[in-house]
Amino acid sequence: MNRILFPALAGSLFWAAAAVADPHAPEPDAAGSMPEPVAVTTNHSVRIGGERVDYSATVGWMIQKKDDEPVARFGYTAYFRDTDDPAIERPILFAFNGGPGSSSIWLHMGILGPQRVVVEDPAFAPPPPARRVDNEFSVLDLTDIVMIDPVGTGFSRPVGEAEGKDFWGVDQDIESVARFIRDFVREHGRWGSPKFILGESYGGIRGAGLAHHLQTFHNMHLNGLILVSPFLSEHAGRDGHGMELPHALFLPSFAATAWYHDSLEQRPDGLDAFLEEVEEFAMNEYLPALVRGHAIEADRKRALAERLGAYTGTTADYWERADLLVDHQQFLQEMERGSRRIAGRIDSRYIGPSTNPLAEEMDYDPFFPAVGPAFTAAFFDYLYEDLEFRRGEEYKVSAWPLDWDWTHRPPSGGAQPAVNLLPDLAMAMTTNPGLGLYIQQGIYDIATPYLATRYYIDQLDVPAEARERIRYDEYPAGHMMYLHPESLRAYREDLAEFIRERLE
């Protein structure tokens, strides 16, 4: 899935599943031998919007080279609709999750692929057997789809003299995924096809970087970039590390969570008006007070603490003792501490028993045990049964923990004090007048909060014309909003509409 952010955060973002291998598989290639590409193709059909869609599915890996030497085997699953139309007229969508260190199974089995796992949103999925169904909400009727597993995830591995560190960093990752996309397009004769990229979570950084990198280094323009619950900038999207701005941007998500779980002493009837009030307070009163730091007057500090407690289902004393600085892990542990419960980070509608009610930070994220085992079981059943991939290679759902290099060289050159891909995204949109940007965001997402996402859009330095190419939708769900039945339908309709608009 997701998938997400910094080393301090990613452990709680990803549910680390054990890799599964086929015990009947042949031995892997001997050490030192030349790696070979693998591709297993099967044929299927699915009904989408009442229409039968026939397609082929290919799972395997390509061999990526650098300076004519193999450096990685790059895993993917590709879906091509059977059609009489020329391949160059058929759009192609490249998609990935985030992490960094997540495979693509979350988007694959949650919304994009022709099979979908069934979960009990927002509760724990039922015990095995995991259920999967034909996915009538896929966009395979509109575009071919390639699910990408970056190096270290899925079947993707460094080979030859290459090491993980050659791929595990902001710029290294963008470069290697861009090279895979170029190689795939070249091998399958898709240079003339309309092209889309869809990234979730840390996939926001990867996707924004790819939009700029592909057109700058490979002369490949995109028609559309879709970012789902994106993380784009450390200075706005990471709280609890001495930066004031994120605390204000996270606050409305705390309030939405408290409202959802009925933790407010005076709960408003409607969420929208309540969040508008909290947003106004966060940016115009709370943030200026944080900038003053310890110079804030005692009575002013107490008044703010009282409002913060009222908005978040906690207490004024709690916020005052914290000097008005409560990060998201502290809040999720505190909100229902008296009931020995903890809310989810990826989707705060999920809630579970706290294993340590005295802890300062989250002891776990209830979202992952609720849905992770069902996703993993359904995917491996699908991989081995329907897609007939019996090679038995280890598929890594998660590569966490990774020693990730967070340095980034922006288009202007130099070094950034904190990673920020907004300049890359702005340059891509400015220099490619055909590039549309679509961002989809969940209200109950506390990994990448919705007000931070709005902030990214507001800070994007693009001409007025380019702003007309930006679309933004919010959903009453979390980071993976497509798990919520109502949002699932809306997600499909909105994404399909965006794709159609970019093809006109």
Side-chain angles (χ1 to χ4, degrees), residues 315-374:
T315 67
D317 288 346
Y318 178 71
W319 284 89
E320 193 169 23
R321 288 196 306 271
D323 291 324
L324 309 182
L325 292 168
V326 173
D327 69 35
H328 71 277
Q329 292 211 35
Q330 292 170 325
F331 163 73
L332 292 170
Q333 185 77 5
E334 177 69 18
M335 183 186 69
E336 291 289 317
R337 190 186 297 272
S339 302
R340 298 179 64 96
R341 297 193 303 169
I342 182 172
R345 177 174 181 264
I346 292 295
D347 189 330
S348 63
R349 297 173 304 135
Y350 286 76
I351 198 161
S354 174
T355 61
N356 183 0
L358 298 179
E360 174 93 2
E361 297 183 346
M362 300 173 68
D363 37 23
Y364 74 106
D365 187 339
F367 175 84
F368 286 106
V371 305

Side-chain angles (χ1 to χ4, degrees), residues 164-364:
K165 66 181 181 180
D166 300 322
F167 305 92
W168 296 339
V170 175
D171 291 347
Q172 301 93 312
D173 174 73
I174 290 169
E175 180 184 352
S176 66
V177 175
R179 194 179 299 120
F180 167 81
I181 292 173
R182 179 207 60 187
D183 292 347
F184 191 96
V185 165
R186 180 170 57 195
E187 181 168 315
H188 291 271
R190 303 302 291 266
W191 274 104
S193 297
K195 300 175 187 67
F196 295 84
I197 283 178
L198 188 153
E200 181 176 296
S201 197
Y202 179 85
I205 282 183
R206 182 182 293 132
L210 285 171
H212 175 257
H213 188 95
L214 284 169
Q215 65 188 51
T216 302
F217 294 95
H218 299 298
N219 290 316
M220 182 185 294
H221 273 188
L222 301 176
N223 297 70
L225 174 64
I226 303 108
L227 303 181
V228 181
S229 308
F231 175 72
L232 287 166
S233 167
E234 180 179 7
H235 77 275
R238 184 186 188 193
D239 66 350
H241 293 270
M243 295 177 282
E244 293 83 11
L245 175 61
H247 285 276
L249 299 177
F250 274 70
L251 182 64
S253 296
F254 296 177
T257 301
W259 182 91
Y260 181 87
H261 291 291
D262 200 14
S263 298
L264 303 173
E265 286 191 8
Q266 297 181 340
R267 184 178 186 268
D269 292 334
L271 178 61
D272 291 345
F274 175 56
L275 290 185
E276 287 180 11
E277 177 183 332
V278 178
E279 291 162 18
E280 181 76 14
F281 167 78
M283 301 307 292
N284 295 329
E285 297 185 57
Y286 179 43
L287 181 57
L290 293 181
V291 173
R292 286 187 55 80
H294 292 283
I296 189 173
E297 300 82 359
D299 58 345
R300 178 63 177 152
K301 179 178 180 180
R302 181 63 189 184
L304 289 168
E306 288 175 352
R307 292 188 68 182
L308 288 163
Y311 283 145
T312 60
T314 54
T315 67
D317 288 346
Y318 178 71
W319 284 89
E320 193 169 23
R321 288 196 306 271
D323 291 324
L324 309 182
L325 292 168
V326 173
D327 69 35
H328 71 277
Q329 292 211 35
Q330 292 170 325
F331 163 73
L332 292 170
Q333 185 77 5
E334 177 69 18
M335 183 186 69
E336 291 289 317
R337 190 186 297 272
S339 302
R340 298 179 64 96
R341 297 193 303 169
I342 182 172
R345 177 174 181 264
I346 292 295
D347 189 330
S348 63
R349 297 173 304 135
Y350 286 76
I351 198 161
S354 174
T355 61
N356 183 0
L358 298 179
E360 174 93 2
E361 297 183 346
M362 300 173 68
D363 37 23
Y364 74 106

Side-chain angles (χ1 to χ4, degrees), residues 196 211 215 221-226 425-439 457 460-472 498 501-502:
F196 295 84
Q215 65 188 51
H221 273 188
L222 301 176
N223 297 70
L225 174 64
I226 303 108
L425 180 54
M427 181 65 75
M429 293 197 68
T430 300
T431 57
N432 176 5
L435 175 60
L437 172 64
Y438 182 31
I439 298 179
I457 298 172
L460 197 59
D461 185 11
V462 295
E465 176 278 326
R467 288 205 165 272
E468 298 298 317
R469 293 183 262 123
I470 300 175
R471 172 171 175 167
Y472 175 63
F498 174 77
E501 288 174 351
R502 300 317 306 169

Side-chain angles (χ1 to χ4, degrees), residues 95-168:
F96 39 77
N97 280 97
S102 174
S103 69
S104 63
I105 73 162
W106 312 100
L107 283 167
H108 194 164
M109 298 300 293
I111 183 62
L112 294 180
Q115 287 279 296
R116 178 172 60 88
V117 64
V118 177
V119 297
E120 299 293 331
D121 177 82
F124 276 63
R131 290 182 56 216
R132 57 183 173 90
V133 296
D134 285 352
N135 183 18
E136 61 181 302
F137 303 105
S138 172
V139 289
L140 183 56
D141 57 326
L142 300 175
T143 176
D144 294 334
I145 299 171
V146 183
M147 305 303 306
I148 298 175
D149 291 318
V151 173
T153 73
F155 294 122
S156 302
R157 306 283 188 276
V159 300
E161 300 297 320
E163 302 177 67
K165 66 181 181 180
D166 300 322
F167 305 92
W168 296 339

